[in-house]
Amino acid sequence: MFKFFRNIRLREYFSSPNPDTSIEPVGYSPVHTPTPFRSKSYFVPPANRNHSIETYCRLVEKDVAHLLKNKQDFKSFHNLSKDEKKALLDLQSDTSVLIRPADKGGSVVLMDRTDYVNECHRQLLDNTFYKKLRSDPTSQFQNTIFTVLDGYLNSGQLTKKEYDFLAIQHPKIATFYTLPKLHKNVTNPPGHPIVAGIDAITAPLSTFVDFFIRPLAEQLPSFVKDISSMISIIESLDPLPENTLLVTFDVESLYTNIPHEGGIEAMEHFLLQRDPNELPSSACIITLAEIVLTHNYFMFLNYFFIQTKGTAMGSPMAPNYANLYVGYMEKQSIFNPLKNVFLPNIIIWKRYIDDIFVLWRGDAELLQSFYAFLNSCSEHLRFTMQSDTRQISFLDLLILCEDNVLYTDLYRKPTDRNSLLRADSCHPLPLKNSLPYSQFCRIKRICIKQSDFDRNMAETQDKFKERGYNNDKINIAIEKIQNKTRHDLFQGQSRKKTHSCVLTTRYSKCSEQI
């Protein structure tokens, strides 16, 4: 409740004609790039500035206290049977097993804890990528970071707001875990390594660096933002030459195979596009990126490890950093006519981080020669390839060719499961009611042919029925989607700015009465 009341008072305080803004730090210099970064504010406006607001807050607080006092009057419904609840409690108390979501497909995996720990140790004890530390390095790393930030603040590279955001005083220690890759091996799945680094010591620095490199990554000629942009690219193509091959390449373990020197070199190259007088300077951004890469430590089973190679896992800048690294290779090799003799055979080359879609003009034998050339372009990158004349999967799309014209259908991975939210879940009703429509929108955006749309709609309706959704709710969503064109869905909705203050609470039996 305090946060809700504070937001109301803040809204009133800063909407008044002459609020006291002296609490705000000094702004940006003319050459300093405006950034949204600042430390979290705990400012609370002076009390009793507006008697109407204070009266409202007291009445709300009184009503909520009354509801909570009498919450036993509100009925609650359980969506698990007694046997199901007992089974979950038994699993929870069984220390020999571990429950994890699958890396892909939405499955829930019950794992032997020993196997899970052994897989984590197998990865972490690989000295190529990780190093075990003797103790917690937080204080040492914090001193290093603060020293660098102090220098940049004093030299004017950073504003006071940015400094306060970057100099995190009480960081959390990142943790390492893996998700089982069932699509690789069902009986003994390898683990997809993940570092949960929210509020870690380098997280603000990584967010700051990402702010400056994201626009550079989005300007790459191969850049694909999302599925919608890929569909737009496909629909804009002219009819293809006869016997065009549909090709996809995948960069193997991209994040872990980027050497720090190569990644920084790529960043430096693209940062040259900035105004040399702009602050913070490119050198400052590079230094902060180096700190993120070389100080990415985490904990697993009370032991500390540090990553020694590759993109900093769990780091906000990781996708765009990897994008720039591959983009630099593309610029030097793929799009360089002096080096790539196969360039005339490439109709389009589009990439979403480590997934590449190519339209190839030429036969399969020539494609194999290009594949060999591609794997020679970088000693750190290795590619896998798939090709077909009729259809190929890319992201969540099935891209098909008919009469030399491309169209898209929805692609479902073999490991996909029906993971739609159950209708009897305790999630808010508006959320559950919106799910059929949102899924139908996705189908209509992706499926260009009416026959594909009808088939996927029927399959998705069955999935919703399996999860307990009644026909009325499904039919309402169907009627709504029938009134929309694909153009409407790609345009999206312009959200109106709201000036309301939202009260967010934990779920309870009397939530709907508040």
Side-chain angles (χ1 to χ4, degrees):
M1 297 301 294
F2 170 78
K3 186 177 180 181
F4 175 59
F5 295 150
R6 176 175 176 265
N7 286 340
I8 294 175
R9 292 177 176 123
L10 285 171
R11 186 68 58 85
E12 183 276 330
Y13 180 81
F14 287 106
S15 64
S16 60
N18 296 301
D20 179 13
T21 56
S22 61
I23 60 168
E24 293 295 316
V26 178
Y28 298 97
S29 65
V31 295
H32 201 104
T33 302
T35 66
F37 304 113
R38 63 199 67 200
S39 61
K40 187 175 181 179
S41 172
Y42 296 96
F43 171 71
V44 178
N48 300 318
R49 279 176 47 89
N50 186 299
H51 295 296
S52 298
I53 287 178
E54 298 305 321
T55 300
Y56 170 78
C57 291
R58 284 195 297 270
L59 290 173
V60 170
E61 197 168 24
K62 181 179 177 181
D63 287 347
V64 170
H66 176 75
L67 287 170
L68 294 176
K69 183 179 179 181
N70 299 283
K71 62 182 179 181
Q72 65 274 6
D73 297 338
F74 299 93
K75 293 182 179 180
S76 61
F77 302 92
H78 297 282
N79 58 2
L80 294 177
S81 67
K82 289 184 178 180
D83 290 341
E84 288 172 331
K85 285 192 285 186
K86 183 179 182 303
L88 284 177
L89 290 173
D90 290 343
L91 284 174
Q92 189 178 26
S93 60
D94 188 348
T95 57
S96 67
V97 298
L98 203 65
I99 302 174
R100 282 284 185 268
D103 182 45
K104 294 181 180 179
S107 301
V108 177
V109 184
L110 188 65
M111 304 181 65
D112 180 85
R113 184 179 292 272
T114 302
D115 292 342
Y116 172 80
V117 171
N118 288 341
E119 170 61 16
C120 291
H121 280 150
R122 181 190 69 80
Q123 297 190 28
L124 292 174
L125 296 179
D126 184 345
N127 295 329
T128 305
F129 302 103
Y130 308 103
K131 178 183 177 182
K132 190 175 181 180
L133 302 176
R134 294 182 178 180
S135 59
D136 182 357
T138 302
S139 296
Q140 177 189 346
F141 286 1
Q142 202 167 27
N143 290 335
T144 301
I145 292 171
F146 284 4
T147 300
V148 172
L149 294 179
D150 287 342
Y152 284 139
L153 176 64
N154 295 332
S155 64
Q157 293 281 345
L158 299 174
T159 66
K160 184 63 169 62
K161 285 183 180 180
E162 291 167 343
Y163 176 88
D164 291 339
F165 170 79
L166 296 171
I168 184 169
Q169 299 294 328
H170 304 288
K172 294 180 180 178
I173 296 176
T175 55
F176 176 92
Y177 65 96
T178 65
L179 297 181
K181 296 183 178 181
L182 291 184
H183 57 287
K184 299 287 186 182
N185 189 318
V186 176
T187 56
N188 189 24
H192 174 199
I194 298 175
V195 171
I198 296 177
D199 293 332
I201 193 169
T202 59
L205 277 69
S206 182
T207 302
F208 187 77
V209 171
D210 187 64
F211 177 82
F212 293 97
I213 66 174
R214 185 190 306 117
L216 303 175
E218 292 175 351
Q219 292 170 15
L220 294 172
S222 62
F223 177 78
V224 173
K225 181 180 180 181
D226 51 27
I227 288 178
S228 295
S229 63
M230 189 64 199
I231 294 173
S232 298
I233 291 169
I234 290 171
E235 291 190 303
S236 67
L237 292 172
D238 294 328
L240 304 176
E242 291 288 340
N243 301 319
T244 297
L245 290 176
L246 313 180
V247 187
T248 58
F249 296 101
D250 179 69
V251 188
E252 292 184 337
S253 304
L254 171 60
Y255 282 12
T256 54
N257 283 317
I258 299 177
H260 294 340
E261 300 81 7
I264 292 298
E265 181 184 350
M267 278 187 60
E268 287 177 332
H269 172 80
F270 289 107
L271 283 169
L272 290 174
Q273 300 175 21
R274 301 177 72 232
D275 184 340
N277 297 318
E278 193 175 355
L279 296 178
S281 66
S282 296
C284 170
I285 296 170
I286 289 293
T287 299
L288 297 182
E290 288 175 332
I291 292 175
V292 173
L293 294 171
T294 57
H295 292 71
N296 190 41
Y297 75 101
F298 47 83
M299 190 166 62
F300 178 72
L301 294 182
N302 297 322
Y303 292 100
F304 291 91
F305 297 84
I306 189 168
Q307 188 179 352
T308 57
K309 181 183 178 182
T311 307
M313 293 191 300
S315 169
M317 77 176 200
N320 289 311
Y321 173 77
N323 258 331
L324 291 183
Y325 179 73
V326 181
Y328 190 44
M329 182 277 294
E330 291 172 337
K331 185 175 182 178
Q332 289 183 314
S333 301
I334 305 303
F335 301 138
N336 184 354
L338 299 178
K339 189 172 182 180
N340 182 10
V341 297
F342 304 97
L343 189 58
N345 299 93
I346 299 175
I347 299 174
I348 67 165
W349 173 288
K350 291 296 177 181
R351 178 173 55 84
Y352 182 82
I353 306 179
D354 58 354
D355 293 316
I356 304 167
F357 175 76
V358 176
L359 291 175
W360 179 262
R361 182 192 290 111
D363 57 27
E365 184 177 351
L366 194 62
L367 177 61
Q368 286 295 331
S369 299
F370 171 73
Y371 181 44
F373 162 76
L374 179 61
N375 273 312
S376 69
C377 290
S378 170
E379 62 176 305
H380 302 286
L381 298 181
R382 287 294 173 267
F383 298 82
T384 59
M385 180 182 74
Q386 291 184 336
S387 64
D388 199 285
T389 58
R390 302 294 300 168
Q391 64 179 41
I392 202 161
S393 62
F394 181 70
L395 305 179
D396 285 345
L397 301 176
L398 184 63
I399 303 175
L400 304 100
C401 184
E402 185 176 290
D403 297 329
N404 298 326
V405 175
L406 295 184
Y407 64 97
T408 57
D409 189 6
L410 179 64
Y411 176 67
R412 301 183 191 273
K413 296 179 176 66
T415 55
D416 280 357
R417 298 291 183 270
N418 187 358
S419 57
L420 292 170
L421 190 67
R422 289 176 59 95
D424 57 358
S425 166
C426 288
H427 285 74
L429 190 60
L431 171 64
K432 292 187 290 185
N433 288 343
S434 67
L435 281 180
Y437 177 69
S438 65
Q439 290 297 309
F440 296 160
C441 283
R442 175 171 174 260
I443 293 171
K444 191 152 192 172
R445 273 193 295 264
I446 291 176
C447 297
I448 294 177
K449 284 193 170 184
Q450 184 66 37
S451 57
D452 294 331
F453 171 75
D454 293 339
R455 171 175 47 80
N456 281 291
M457 283 287 289
E459 292 177 3
T460 305
Q461 289 175 56
D462 290 340
K463 288 179 179 291
F464 274 111
K465 290 175 183 178
E466 287 175 9
R467 305 297 277 179
Y469 289 77
N470 61 48
N471 287 328
D472 290 341
K473 291 183 179 179
I474 295 174
N475 290 334
I476 289 172
I478 293 173
E479 183 178 351
K480 190 176 178 182
I481 198 65
Q482 286 175 343
N483 294 325
K484 297 283 186 179
T485 65
R486 291 183 70 243
H487 177 75
D488 294 335
L489 298 176
F490 278 110
Q491 291 296 108
Q493 293 182 344
S494 57
R495 295 187 177 182
K496 295 180 180 179
K497 289 187 177 181
T498 176
H499 297 287
S500 60
C501 291
V502 179
L503 169 62
T504 305
T505 66
R506 289 188 177 184
Y507 176 80
S508 73
K509 292 182 289 184
C510 55
S511 292
E512 295 181 359
Q513 304 298 321
I514 295 178

